[in-house]
Amino acid sequence: MRYLWRALGLLRRYWSLTAVAFASLLISTGVNLAIPGLTRTIIDSGIASGRLDVVITTAVGIVLVALAGAVFSFLQGILSARIAQSIAYDLRNRLYAKIHTLSFSYHDRAQTGQLLTRATSDVELVQMFVGTAFIQFLSALLMMGGSIVLLFVTNWQLALIMLVLVPLTFGIFGLFASRARPMFSQIQQRLADLNTVLQENLVGMRVVKAFAREPHEAKRYTRANQKLFDLNVIVGRMFAVAIPTIFLINNLSQMAVYWIGGQQVINADLSLGRVVAFGGYMMMAFFPMLMLGMIMAHISQASASSERVFEILDATSEITEKAGAVELPPVKGCVAFERVGFRYFASGEQVLDDIDFLAEPGQTIALLGATGSGKSTVTNLIPRFYDATEGRVTIDGHDVRDVTLDSLRRQIGIVLQETTLFSGTIRENIAFGWQGAPEEEIVAAARAAEAHDFVMAFAGGYDTQAEERGVTLSGGQKQRISIARALLLNPRILILDDATSSVDYETEYRIQQALEQLMEGRTSFVIAQRVATVLNADQILVLDRGKIVARGTHENLLETSAIYAEIYYSQLERDPEDTP
């Protein structure tokens, strides 16, 4: 219930709309409760007494009361829908903003399908509870409470039947809810698993087709879908047992009322109008009980979903700005690693160990090593995608943990190994980090990245749509747009994570020529698989299992480092084009 109360707390922002909706609910409930009493008047004071004027007058009153009830129910429905949609809108925005604040380590563990389910299906269930089910819950309570009071006012002997009906009905629904709640949580989890499989296949469609794995992936999706289906069927069976049982109890109660009440009417101890009014109030009490039972099932769903939603909103990012963090002034580009160690998790394996080096302003630092040696992790510590667990990283003497994230990252240009483009034009993708950048700056960045010529070859030029994930562009074209995006910011520190891995030798040569000019005066970190791309680096750091095992210039390392020499000569044999 803790999470449901937190969900209800979302209503505070819309307290005025909620108050009007609740007032409309009170009025419509009171109006509806008046109708059985008016029906009794028609029968006892009109029909039984032979007074047509009373019948007509009371019938008109029933019509007016019913119209008033319909108007206020309509108003309450409109306001409830507005509140529900507003809460869903707020929750989606909060989740989206929160997901962006969470560190890389969180996203390393989280599955995209899980996050999508929580931001869509779970939010929908919370929205339905707060904006609709909760109002219906209050409506049912008021209607049931008012009906029961009027039942005792009408005939307290007959009303004693409710002492059996109410506990029995709620006992059945309580048993159902207690068994259903964990199942609803499992349903949302299985829906998330299904979405994960779907998301993986949509992103990896080319891989699936390339390896002819469509039948295998179809079976994997079917298995996940079957698990969701089976659990939903179990819950459906529980509904199928509970609802008819409740109706059976109500019908037996109605039979008892008309049996006992009919005898009293025959014996002239009770008027016919009272029996009819009693039957009306009893139905008004029963249907809210039925509604409450359905709402209890929805509350179980909303409870599971609200827990999943608030689990994200309560998540803490490992990368946060410390109190009193200062703006990083324009930097010269002196980057120092001081005895840096790093683990992805507190109890995890040591990924970096005693990394210690100094990059002077304008120097090019190359990082070489086998896959998993820690090259990308080193560069990820500079913009604080992760925080060092030992030692510290400084820029111009400022510990990166002491400055604001925005001022730090805006002075670092990054080209990641995995290029990501967004739906939109090529111009918008290049200007992603500088909204409203002048056209000449965008073109200059594209020229420097060897992208201008192929962009202008498209019919739309810079207005060409890149489409989702840049699927209309080749790997090399996406890579060059990604480089242009980083260069547009004119950063003092440049990180190139194997930035030329997706281009051919000729294009790579042109990009390297451009990058050599662009890296002039900038502190550049270049992660490369091929030695030929970093021969002119000021420092080459060779990493192995998270440690720097060799450092120096190309010529120096050829003489002093067996590991570097082995990498170099093995690549020359494999790539004779690199020999010059």
Side-chain angles (χ1 to χ4, degrees), residues 388-416:
T389 51
E390 301 167 15
R392 66 175 192 155
V393 179
T394 66
I395 297 178
D396 289 0
H398 298 275
D399 190 320
V400 294
R401 291 170 291 197
D402 295 336
V403 300
T404 62
L405 289 171
D406 186 68
S407 65
L408 169 67
R409 292 174 180 172
R410 285 196 174 277
Q411 299 194 59
I412 301 174
I414 302 174
V415 180
L416 298 174

mmCIF file of all heavy atoms in Angstrom, residues 388-416:
data_model
loop_
_atom_site.group_PDB
_atom_site.id
_atom_site.type_symbol
_atom_site.label_atom_id
_atom_site.label_comp_id
_atom_site.label_asym_id
_atom_site.label_seq_id
_atom_site.Cartn_x
_atom_site.Cartn_y
_atom_site.Cartn_z
ATOM 1 N N ALA A 388 35.905 7.009 -10.841
ATOM 2 C CA ALA A 388 36.996 6.176 -10.362
ATOM 3 C C ALA A 388 36.703 5.711 -8.934
ATOM 4 O O ALA A 388 36.218 6.485 -8.104
ATOM 5 C CB ALA A 388 38.306 6.959 -10.409
ATOM 6 N N THR A 389 36.968 4.455 -8.647
ATOM 7 C CA THR A 389 36.781 3.946 -7.289
ATOM 8 C C THR A 389 38.034 4.143 -6.442
ATOM 9 O O THR A 389 37.986 4.060 -5.219
ATOM 10 C CB THR A 389 36.404 2.455 -7.329
ATOM 11 O OG1 THR A 389 37.342 1.747 -8.152
ATOM 12 C CG2 THR A 389 35.012 2.270 -7.919
ATOM 13 N N GLU A 390 39.152 4.404 -7.119
ATOM 14 C CA GLU A 390 40.407 4.721 -6.424
ATOM 15 C C GLU A 390 41.105 5.835 -7.204
ATOM 16 O O GLU A 390 40.987 5.915 -8.426
ATOM 17 C CB GLU A 390 41.325 3.489 -6.347
ATOM 18 C CG GLU A 390 40.714 2.300 -5.635
ATOM 19 C CD GLU A 390 41.519 1.027 -5.864
ATOM 20 O OE1 GLU A 390 42.675 1.133 -6.319
ATOM 21 O OE2 GLU A 390 40.986 -0.067 -5.609
ATOM 22 N N GLY A 391 41.837 6.664 -6.490
ATOM 23 C CA GLY A 391 42.565 7.747 -7.145
ATOM 24 C C GLY A 391 41.626 8.811 -7.674
ATOM 25 O O GLY A 391 40.459 8.908 -7.252
ATOM 26 N N ARG A 392 42.122 9.620 -8.606
ATOM 27 C CA ARG A 392 41.269 10.685 -9.144
ATOM 28 C C ARG A 392 41.705 11.045 -10.557
ATOM 29 O O ARG A 392 42.842 10.795 -10.974
ATOM 30 C CB ARG A 392 41.304 11.913 -8.250
ATOM 31 C CG ARG A 392 42.651 12.618 -8.189
ATOM 32 C CD ARG A 392 42.544 13.892 -7.371
ATOM 33 N NE ARG A 392 43.737 14.732 -7.520
ATOM 34 C CZ ARG A 392 43.754 16.056 -7.343
ATOM 35 N NH1 ARG A 392 42.644 16.682 -6.995
ATOM 36 N NH2 ARG A 392 44.873 16.743 -7.489
ATOM 37 N N VAL A 393 40.752 11.665 -11.292
ATOM 38 C CA VAL A 393 40.993 12.168 -12.643
ATOM 39 C C VAL A 393 40.823 13.678 -12.587
ATOM 40 O O VAL A 393 39.819 14.177 -12.071
ATOM 41 C CB VAL A 393 39.986 11.563 -13.656
ATOM 42 C CG1 VAL A 393 40.237 12.119 -15.050
ATOM 43 C CG2 VAL A 393 40.068 10.042 -13.653
ATOM 44 N N THR A 394 41.812 14.409 -13.121
ATOM 45 C CA THR A 394 41.730 15.873 -13.076
ATOM 46 C C THR A 394 41.871 16.451 -14.482
ATOM 47 O O THR A 394 42.505 15.863 -15.353
ATOM 48 C CB THR A 394 42.832 16.465 -12.178
ATOM 49 O OG1 THR A 394 44.119 16.207 -12.765
ATOM 50 C CG2 THR A 394 42.779 15.878 -10.779
ATOM 51 N N ILE A 395 41.242 17.607 -14.676
ATOM 52 C CA ILE A 395 41.390 18.390 -15.897
ATOM 53 C C ILE A 395 41.835 19.789 -15.479
ATOM 54 O O ILE A 395 41.123 20.468 -14.728
ATOM 55 C CB ILE A 395 40.066 18.464 -16.685
ATOM 56 C CG1 ILE A 395 39.643 17.062 -17.143
ATOM 57 C CG2 ILE A 395 40.210 19.387 -17.880
ATOM 58 C CD1 ILE A 395 38.329 17.041 -17.886
ATOM 59 N N ASP A 396 43.013 20.187 -15.927
ATOM 60 C CA ASP A 396 43.608 21.461 -15.515
ATOM 61 C C ASP A 396 43.625 21.598 -13.995
ATOM 62 O O ASP A 396 43.401 22.678 -13.437
ATOM 63 C CB ASP A 396 42.830 22.633 -16.120
ATOM 64 C CG ASP A 396 43.034 22.756 -17.618
ATOM 65 O OD1 ASP A 396 43.776 21.940 -18.168
ATOM 66 O OD2 ASP A 396 42.429 23.659 -18.230
ATOM 67 N N GLY A 397 43.870 20.482 -13.319
ATOM 68 C CA GLY A 397 43.955 20.495 -11.860
ATOM 69 C C GLY A 397 42.629 20.358 -11.150
ATOM 70 O O GLY A 397 42.596 20.198 -9.925
ATOM 71 N N HIS A 398 41.505 20.413 -11.865
ATOM 72 C CA HIS A 398 40.185 20.268 -11.255
ATOM 73 C C HIS A 398 39.792 18.798 -11.233
ATOM 74 O O HIS A 398 39.759 18.149 -12.283
ATOM 75 C CB HIS A 398 39.129 21.050 -12.040
ATOM 76 C CG HIS A 398 39.363 22.527 -12.083
ATOM 77 N ND1 HIS A 398 38.936 23.377 -11.092
ATOM 78 C CD2 HIS A 398 39.980 23.303 -13.016
ATOM 79 C CE1 HIS A 398 39.266 24.621 -11.414
ATOM 80 N NE2 HIS A 398 39.908 24.600 -12.568
ATOM 81 N N ASP A 399 39.501 18.273 -10.053
ATOM 82 C CA ASP A 399 38.961 16.916 -9.966
ATOM 83 C C ASP A 399 37.607 16.909 -10.678
ATOM 84 O O ASP A 399 36.747 17.758 -10.414
ATOM 85 C CB ASP A 399 38.773 16.513 -8.497
ATOM 86 C CG ASP A 399 38.457 15.026 -8.325
ATOM 87 O OD1 ASP A 399 37.678 14.486 -9.135
ATOM 88 O OD2 ASP A 399 38.974 14.423 -7.373
ATOM 89 N N VAL A 400 37.431 15.977 -11.606
ATOM 90 C CA VAL A 400 36.187 15.973 -12.390
ATOM 91 C C VAL A 400 34.964 15.772 -11.505
ATOM 92 O O VAL A 400 33.837 16.094 -11.903
ATOM 93 C CB VAL A 400 36.227 14.889 -13.492
ATOM 94 C CG1 VAL A 400 37.291 15.228 -14.532
ATOM 95 C CG2 VAL A 400 36.444 13.498 -12.903
ATOM 96 N N ARG A 401 35.146 15.268 -10.284
ATOM 97 C CA ARG A 401 34.014 15.071 -9.378
ATOM 98 C C ARG A 401 33.627 16.354 -8.655
ATOM 99 O O ARG A 401 32.600 16.391 -7.978
ATOM 100 C CB ARG A 401 34.343 13.973 -8.361
ATOM 101 C CG ARG A 401 34.439 12.586 -8.979
ATOM 102 C CD ARG A 401 35.001 11.558 -8.028
ATOM 103 N NE ARG A 401 36.419 11.792 -7.744
ATOM 104 C CZ ARG A 401 37.241 10.889 -7.214
ATOM 105 N NH1 ARG A 401 36.780 9.681 -6.934
ATOM 106 N NH2 ARG A 401 38.502 11.161 -6.989
ATOM 107 N N ASP A 402 34.444 17.397 -8.814
ATOM 108 C CA ASP A 402 34.169 18.661 -8.121
ATOM 109 C C ASP A 402 33.491 19.693 -9.015
ATOM 110 O O ASP A 402 33.178 20.792 -8.558
ATOM 111 C CB ASP A 402 35.476 19.263 -7.577
ATOM 112 C CG ASP A 402 36.093 18.390 -6.496
ATOM 113 O OD1 ASP A 402 35.351 17.619 -5.862
ATOM 114 O OD2 ASP A 402 37.329 18.479 -6.299
ATOM 115 N N VAL A 403 33.268 19.374 -10.285
ATOM 116 C CA VAL A 403 32.690 20.351 -11.210
ATOM 117 C C VAL A 403 31.335 19.843 -11.691
ATOM 118 O O VAL A 403 31.015 18.653 -11.579
ATOM 119 C CB VAL A 403 33.618 20.608 -12.414
ATOM 120 C CG1 VAL A 403 34.957 21.152 -11.940
ATOM 121 C CG2 VAL A 403 33.825 19.326 -13.233
ATOM 122 N N THR A 404 30.524 20.743 -12.228
ATOM 123 C CA THR A 404 29.205 20.349 -12.723
ATOM 124 C C THR A 404 29.349 19.484 -13.975
ATOM 125 O O THR A 404 30.257 19.687 -14.785
ATOM 126 C CB THR A 404 28.341 21.577 -13.044
ATOM 127 O OG1 THR A 404 28.969 22.338 -14.086
ATOM 128 C CG2 THR A 404 28.161 22.451 -11.805
ATOM 129 N N LEU A 405 28.444 18.548 -14.099
ATOM 130 C CA LEU A 405 28.498 17.619 -15.233
ATOM 131 C C LEU A 405 28.348 18.347 -16.564
ATOM 132 O O LEU A 405 29.029 18.033 -17.539
ATOM 133 C CB LEU A 405 27.403 16.554 -15.086
ATOM 134 C CG LEU A 405 27.625 15.514 -13.984
ATOM 135 C CD1 LEU A 405 26.374 14.661 -13.812
ATOM 136 C CD2 LEU A 405 28.824 14.638 -14.304
ATOM 137 N N ASP A 406 27.439 19.324 -16.618
ATOM 138 C CA ASP A 406 27.186 20.022 -17.877
ATOM 139 C C ASP A 406 28.428 20.784 -18.336
ATOM 140 O O ASP A 406 28.812 20.707 -19.510
ATOM 141 C CB ASP A 406 26.006 20.983 -17.704
ATOM 142 C CG ASP A 406 25.610 21.630 -19.011
ATOM 143 O OD1 ASP A 406 25.100 20.924 -19.893
ATOM 144 O OD2 ASP A 406 25.810 22.850 -19.149
ATOM 145 N N SER A 407 29.063 21.511 -17.408
ATOM 146 C CA SER A 407 30.243 22.294 -17.789
ATOM 147 C C SER A 407 31.414 21.388 -18.159
ATOM 148 O O SER A 407 32.274 21.759 -18.961
ATOM 149 C CB SER A 407 30.645 23.228 -16.647
ATOM 150 O OG SER A 407 31.076 22.482 -15.508
ATOM 151 N N LEU A 408 31.447 20.175 -17.591
ATOM 152 C CA LEU A 408 32.509 19.212 -17.908
ATOM 153 C C LEU A 408 32.296 18.616 -19.303
ATOM 154 O O LEU A 408 33.194 18.657 -20.155
ATOM 155 C CB LEU A 408 32.526 18.115 -16.849
ATOM 156 C CG LEU A 408 33.398 16.885 -17.150
ATOM 157 C CD1 LEU A 408 34.875 17.264 -17.160
ATOM 158 C CD2 LEU A 408 33.130 15.773 -16.134
ATOM 159 N N ARG A 409 31.093 18.105 -19.526
ATOM 160 C CA ARG A 409 30.859 17.357 -20.765
ATOM 161 C C ARG A 409 30.757 18.254 -21.983
ATOM 162 O O ARG A 409 31.003 17.794 -23.103
ATOM 163 C CB ARG A 409 29.600 16.504 -20.597
ATOM 164 C CG ARG A 409 29.810 15.381 -19.580
ATOM 165 C CD ARG A 409 28.559 14.600 -19.272
ATOM 166 N NE ARG A 409 28.828 13.545 -18.284
ATOM 167 C CZ ARG A 409 27.894 12.806 -17.703
ATOM 168 N NH1 ARG A 409 26.615 12.990 -18.015
ATOM 169 N NH2 ARG A 409 28.235 11.889 -16.826
ATOM 170 N N ARG A 410 30.414 19.511 -21.807
ATOM 171 C CA ARG A 410 30.331 20.412 -22.959
ATOM 172 C C ARG A 410 31.705 20.801 -23.491
ATOM 173 O O ARG A 410 31.805 21.382 -24.564
ATOM 174 C CB ARG A 410 29.524 21.659 -22.595
ATOM 175 C CG ARG A 410 28.035 21.394 -22.519
ATOM 176 C CD ARG A 410 27.213 22.661 -22.551
ATOM 177 N NE ARG A 410 25.800 22.359 -22.624
ATOM 178 C CZ ARG A 410 25.137 22.084 -23.734
ATOM 179 N NH1 ARG A 410 25.790 22.073 -24.883
ATOM 180 N NH2 ARG A 410 23.850 21.811 -23.738
ATOM 181 N N GLN A 411 32.752 20.485 -22.755
ATOM 182 C CA GLN A 411 34.100 20.798 -23.225
ATOM 183 C C GLN A 411 34.837 19.558 -23.720
ATOM 184 O O GLN A 411 36.033 19.590 -23.952
ATOM 185 C CB GLN A 411 34.892 21.477 -22.104
ATOM 186 C CG GLN A 411 34.260 22.788 -21.644
ATOM 187 C CD GLN A 411 35.203 23.610 -20.797
ATOM 188 O OE1 GLN A 411 36.286 23.981 -21.245
ATOM 189 N NE2 GLN A 411 34.810 23.912 -19.574
ATOM 190 N N ILE A 412 34.074 18.469 -23.852
ATOM 191 C CA ILE A 412 34.662 17.208 -24.317
ATOM 192 C C ILE A 412 33.880 16.737 -25.533
ATOM 193 O O ILE A 412 32.662 16.580 -25.483
ATOM 194 C CB ILE A 412 34.615 16.133 -23.212
ATOM 195 C CG1 ILE A 412 35.376 16.612 -21.964
ATOM 196 C CG2 ILE A 412 35.198 14.814 -23.720
ATOM 197 C CD1 ILE A 412 35.244 15.673 -20.779
ATOM 198 N N GLY A 413 34.592 16.533 -26.628
ATOM 199 C CA GLY A 413 33.970 15.972 -27.823
ATOM 200 C C GLY A 413 34.218 14.479 -27.869
ATOM 201 O O GLY A 413 35.348 14.023 -27.651
ATOM 202 N N ILE A 414 33.150 13.717 -28.134
ATOM 203 C CA ILE A 414 33.262 12.258 -28.075
ATOM 204 C C ILE A 414 32.704 11.641 -29.348
ATOM 205 O O ILE A 414 31.613 11.996 -29.793
ATOM 206 C CB ILE A 414 32.494 11.695 -26.856
ATOM 207 C CG1 ILE A 414 33.027 12.323 -25.556
ATOM 208 C CG2 ILE A 414 32.623 10.178 -26.802
ATOM 209 C CD1 ILE A 414 32.241 11.924 -24.334
ATOM 210 N N VAL A 415 33.455 10.733 -29.917
ATOM 211 C CA VAL A 415 32.969 9.899 -31.014
ATOM 212 C C VAL A 415 33.078 8.462 -30.532
ATOM 213 O O VAL A 415 34.176 7.935 -30.388
ATOM 214 C CB VAL A 415 33.779 10.105 -32.308
ATOM 215 C CG1 VAL A 415 33.223 9.212 -33.410
ATOM 216 C CG2 VAL A 415 33.752 11.556 -32.732
ATOM 217 N N LEU A 416 31.921 7.852 -30.244
ATOM 218 C CA LEU A 416 31.908 6.509 -29.692
ATOM 219 C C LEU A 416 32.092 5.466 -30.788
ATOM 220 O O LEU A 416 31.863 5.720 -31.971
ATOM 221 C CB LEU A 416 30.593 6.258 -28.953
ATOM 222 C CG LEU A 416 30.332 7.171 -27.754
ATOM 223 C CD1 LEU A 416 28.941 6.934 -27.190
ATOM 224 C CD2 LEU A 416 31.373 6.951 -26.662
#
